Amino acid sequence: MITIIDQLAPTDEAELSELLTAASEDRQPLRILGGGTRTETKHIAGTPLDVSAISGIVTYEPGEMTLIARAGTPLPEIEAMLEAEGQSLAFEPPDLRGVLGGRGIPTIGGAIAANASGPRRIRTGACRDHLLGLRFVDGQGRILRNGGRVMKNVTGLDLSRLLCGSHGTLGILTEVAIKTLPHAQARATLGFHGTDELRALGIFSKALATPYEVSGAAFLDGTAWLRIEGLPPQVEYRQQRLLEMFGAHDIQTLDGAGTRELWRGLRDVTHFAGDLPLWRILVKPTDAPAATARLRDLGGRVSLDWGGGLIWYCGPGEASSLRQIAPHATLVRRGGVPGPAFPPEAAAITRLSQELRRRFDPAGILNPGLMDS
Amino acid sequence: MSGIIMPQPDSTILARAAQIVAALREVLPEDTVISDGNETRAYECDALTAYRCPPLAVVLPRSTAEVAAAMRICSEMGVPVVPRGAGTSLAGGALPTADCVVIGTARLRDVLEIDTDNRFMRVQTGVTNLSVSEVLAPHGFFYAPDPSSQLACTIAGNIAMNSGGAHCLKYGVTTNNLMGATVVLTSGEIVEFGGSQAGAAGLDLLGLLCGSEGQLGIVTEAVLRILPRPEGARPVLIGFDSAEVAGECVARIIRSGVLPVAIEYMDEPCLRAVENFAKAGYPDCPAVLIVEVEGSPDEIAVQIAHIREIADALNPVEFRESRNADDALAIWKGRKSAFGAMGRLGDYICLDGTVPVGQLPHTLRRIGELSKEHGLEVANVFHAGDGNMHPLILFNANEPGQLERAEAFGADILRLCVEVGGCLTGEHGVGIEKRDLMTAQYDPDDLAIQMEVKDVFDPAWLLNPAKVFPLDSSARYRQRAAE
Ligand SMILES: Cc1cc2nc3c(=O)[nH]c(=O)nc-3n(C[C@H](O)[C@H](O)[C@H](O)COP(=O)(O)OP(=O)(O)OC[C@H]3O[C@@H](n4cnc5c(N)ncnc54)[C@H](O)[C@@H]3O)c2cc1C
Ligand SMILES: Cc1cc2nc3c(=O)[nH]c(=O)nc-3n(C[C@H](O)[C@H](O)[C@H](O)COP(=O)(O)OP(=O)(O)OC[C@H]3O[C@@H](n4cnc5c(N)ncnc54)[C@H](O)[C@@H]3O)c2cc1C
C-alpha cells in the first residue's frame, strides 16, 4: 500500500503502475503534470502526479526517421538532438510557456497528450499524424502498448490516436514513438501587409491551392504570411512563382533566418502573452473572416493560423457568446473565465467519450473533469 | 478448408431468417434487401477467396437513414452485421457469416461537396477511390491515398482498413487524409466524427474509427482532405546487385532530406515474373528500386541529382532516368503489373507485414531462408520507403496441403516482422487472416483494452464478428454480450 503524499513523482513505468493501482483502489484523484507548463490542471482537485522523471531517449534512428523517447523527456532536449542530425519534429509543437505562464520545461508526453501542433499542420499534419505508437499506464495501473515504431501499421484498433489529445484522461503516457522529418534545407516567407482577414483568406485559399507546398499560412495585425520550405532551388522557384501570382500586392520577403524567427513567434502565440483569456478556435477556414469580425465585437484581438482554420482569440468575450460564433472553442488560458475549457459535443459523442474513459479509468482518477464540457 | 476457424452460425438466428428479412423489408425500399441464395452468393467472399460463406441477407441502402434503419433492425433482432464496400479486402475483412446481414455501400455513391477553397470534399463512402481522384482532377486537386486496388475499392473500405498506397511515403495513409465521418452506431444512431474544420477538441474518435475494420460502426459519409496536384512527377529506376545495398540506398535517401513520393522495391523472383509477363525491360539483377519525385521540371532535376549522388556511392548496376512521359510509364509498367504477373505463376498469398527500414536487408534474407525451409517460392514487391513489405507466397491450391503450408510460411514471416520491431499488417488489415497472430504482437492486456473499446461501441458484439480479435481472447466479451 502506498501512502498518498502531497506530490507524487515516479521515476519509471513500473513505479507509476504500482502507484496508479493503489490510487485507483483508493479512488484517489490525480492531477497529472508533464512539464507543468500549462495552468489549466490547477483547477483540478487531485494530488499532483509529476511524471517528468520518466524521461530519456530510448532510440533515435535518423535513417528511419524514428524517435522513441520516454514521455517525460524535455522537448528542448529532443529538438537539440534532432537538430544535430538535420531533422526536426514535423508537427512543430508550440512552446506555450510564454503564453500560459508556466514555469517548467515542456515534455514530449505533454505535447502528445495535448496533440500540440504548430503552423506546419496545414502541410504535414498534426502531432497525431506523426505518432507511431506508445506505451501508457491506464487508470487501473495496467501497463499497455499500442501501435509500434513503423510508419505503416494497421494492426488492431488505433489507440495511439485516441490517446493523443486525451490530456491524460485515458492513461499516462510513458513512452512514445514518433516520426521525425529532415529539416527543410531552405525556407522563405512572403508578407502581405495592410490586409484584413477577408483578404488574408483570399490569399491563403489561392496559395494553398498551388502545388508550391506552402507550409505556413498565418495572419497577425494586418499582415498575411506565407511560408515555403524545401531544397534551395525549390524555395527560390516557389517564391518566384508566388510573387508572380500575387503580382498586384506589395509583398515583403523574409530569408531563412527571418522566417525561422517569425514562425517561432507565430507558433508560440507570443503576441498574446498576458493575462486575458486566450481561446483556441477551430473553424472551416473560409468561415474565419466572419467569425473574427464577430469576435472583435466582443472586444479583444485575434490572429489566424492554419490558413484560417485556427483562430486565436485573446479577449474578454464570454464563453457562451464565443461558442455561439464558433462552437469549437477551447479555453487555453483562463484569465478568470469560469466553466469548462472544452467545447460541448453532440450527446452521442459525449456518451461514447465518457464510456471510453470509464473503461480506461474506472475509478475516475486521471485528471477528473478536465475534458468535461 | 484450411486453418482459420469461424464460429458456428447461431441456429436461433438461422431459424428466424424469414422474420429478419421481413423486418428489414418493412423499413426499407423493396429492392434494398437481397435474400435469394443465388444473389447473396455474390457476397460470399472478398479477395481472400479461400474463405467463403454466403450471408443470410444483403442490404444495399441508398442513404445514411436507410443504413441506420437496417442497423436498428439487426440490433433489435440480435443479428450480426458485416459492413462491406467493394469486397477487395485481402484479409477476409468482409467475409460474411451464415447468420449475418451484409450492409453494403454499393449504392452510396454520391459526391456531396467539393470545396477547393477549404481543401476538402464530402462523399458517400460507396464511391470508389479512383472515382474520387477523377472528379477532383478538373479542379486541379487529388486525394492522396491510392491503393493498387483503387479502381474497385471504396472509401468505406479504405477508412475501415486505413489503406495506403504507393504515394503514402509523402502523403500518409487514410487516417492522415480523413477529416470527418458520418457513422451509424449499432444503436442506429447517426453521429459525426470530425468535420470540415481541422481537428476537434475532444477525444479523437475519428482516429480511432479509421482502421477499425468495421468493428465500431458503419461509415456512410466522409470528409476527405484534398491536395493540389503537383506540377509533375518522374520516376527513376535503380538496379543493385544485392538486397542489402538496395536497402541501404533506401535508408540513405530517406535520411538525406529529399522526400520522394514513392520508393518501391522488387526482388529477383518478382523481376523475373514481371519480365516474362510485361516485358518491362528491367535490368537483370537481384534488386530494383523505383523512386519517384514530384515538382516542376527544375525541381525534379534537383531531386534526381540528389538521388543519383546517393545511389552512385553504392555502385548501382543501373541508374535509369525517365526523360519523358513514355519513359516514366515504362519504368512503372513492370511494378504496376507485378500482381498480375505473379497471378500467372499460380495461386499466391499476399502478406503485408511492416518492418523498420533498417531491418529490410535482414528480413529479406530471413524470408529467403524460410522459403527454403517451407519449400515454397516467395517474391517480394513492396513499398520500401516505409518498410511495408508485400511478400507473395506462391503455391498451388489444387494440391492438397499447399494452402496450409503457405499459411504456415506466411505466419512465420509475420512473426519475423514483429520480432525485428515491425508489425503484422501495414495496410491490409487483420481481418480473419491475421486474427490468430494478434497475440504475437500484443500482450493479453493490450488486446483486452482494444476489446474494451470495441465493447463501448458495440456492446452486443454484432459488428463484423470473428474478425481482428482471436476468438479465445474475445470469448469473454462475446459471452457477456450474449447474456
Ligand atoms: C484546455 C487546454 C487545451 C490545450 N490545447 C492545446 C492544443 O490543442 N495545442 C497545443 O499546442 N497546446 C495546447 N494546450 C497547451 C499544452 O498543454 C502545452 O502546449 C503542452 O502540453 C505543454 O507540455 P507540458 O509537458 O508542459 O505538459 P503539462 O503542462 O504538464 O501537461 C499538459 C497536459 O497533458 C497532460 N500530461 C502531461 N504529461 C502527460 C503524460 N506523460 N501522459 C498523459 N498526460 C500527460 C497533463 O495532465 C495536461 O493535461 C492546451 C492547454 C489547455 C489548458
Ligand atoms: C489487387 C489488390 C491490390 C491491393 N492493393 C492495396 C494497396 O495498395 N494498399 C492497401 O492498403 N490495400 C490494398 N488492397 C486491399 C484492399 O483493396 C483495401 O483493404 C481496400 O481498402 C478495401 O476496400 P473495399 O471497398 O474493397 O472494402 P471491403 O473489402 O468490402 O471491406 C474491407 C473492410 O472494411 C469494412 N467495411 C466496409 N465498408 C464499411 C463501412 N461502410 N463501414 C465500416 N466498415 C466497413 C469491412 O467490414 C471490411 O472489414 C489491395 C487489394 C487487392 C485485391
Side-chain angles (χ1 to χ4, degrees), chain B residues 46-47 82-90 93-94 105 125 146-149 152-158 160-165 213-214 217-220 339 383 390 427-428 464:
Chain B
D46 55 25
V82 173
R84 183 181 178 99
T88 68
S89 168
L90 290 163
T105 53
T125 53
D146 57 342
S148 325
S149 51
C153 69
T154 64
I155 293 297
N158 294 172
M161 290 311 199
N162 190 15
S163 300
E213 303 199 20
I218 302 185
V219 190
T220 58
F339 283 79
H383 315 302
H390 287 323
E427 57 181 20
H428 295 168
N464 219 2

Side-chain angles (χ1 to χ4, degrees), chain A residues 337-358:
Chain A
V337 173
F342 286 82
E345 292 173 312
I349 305 265
T350 303
R351 199 191 64 233
L352 288 170
S353 301
Q354 283 173 350
E355 186 56 30
L356 284 169
R357 287 206 180 85
R358 262 197 291 280

Side-chain angles (χ1 to χ4, degrees), chain B residues 93-256:
Chain B
L95 175 73
T97 54
D99 56 5
C100 88
V101 169
V102 166
I103 300 186
T105 53
R107 289 174 180 158
L108 292 167
R109 292 192 166 234
D110 289 344
V111 171
L112 303 168
E113 185 180 3
I114 294 178
D115 183 340
T116 53
D117 277 347
N118 290 301
R119 300 164 298 284
F120 73 83
M121 78 188 295
R122 219 152 48 80
V123 297
Q124 289 186 313
T125 53
V127 296
T128 63
N129 178 288
L130 186 65
S131 70
V132 162
S133 275
E134 280 171 357
V135 304
L136 287 173
H139 300 271
F141 278 75
F142 74 110
Y143 173 63
D146 57 342
S148 325
S149 51
Q150 65 181 166
L151 187 65
C153 69
T154 64
I155 293 297
N158 294 172
I159 293 171
M161 290 311 199
N162 190 15
S163 300
H167 285 69
C168 47
L169 182 58
K170 179 166 177 185
Y171 296 111
V173 291
T174 303
T175 193
N176 312 113
N177 292 281
L178 181 67
M179 296 171 64
T182 303
V183 185
V184 174
L185 301 175
T186 48
S187 57
E189 268 171 294
I190 299 165
V191 294
E192 309 273 340
F193 294 167
S196 50
Q197 79 289 348
L203 294 184
D204 187 358
L205 299 185
L206 184 69
L208 176 64
L209 176 80
C210 194
S212 65
E213 303 199 20
Q215 293 290 322
L216 307 183
I218 302 185
V219 190
T220 58
E221 286 177 25
V223 183
L224 308 175
R225 181 170 86 115
I226 61 175
L227 299 168
R229 282 157 73 92
E231 285 164 277
R234 208 137 44 90
V236 296
L237 179 150
I238 322 172
F240 289 101
D241 56 16
S242 87
E244 272 86 350
V245 182
E248 179 62 28
C249 186
V250 173
R252 288 196 195 176
I253 292 173
I254 300 268
R255 191 183 176 136
S256 73

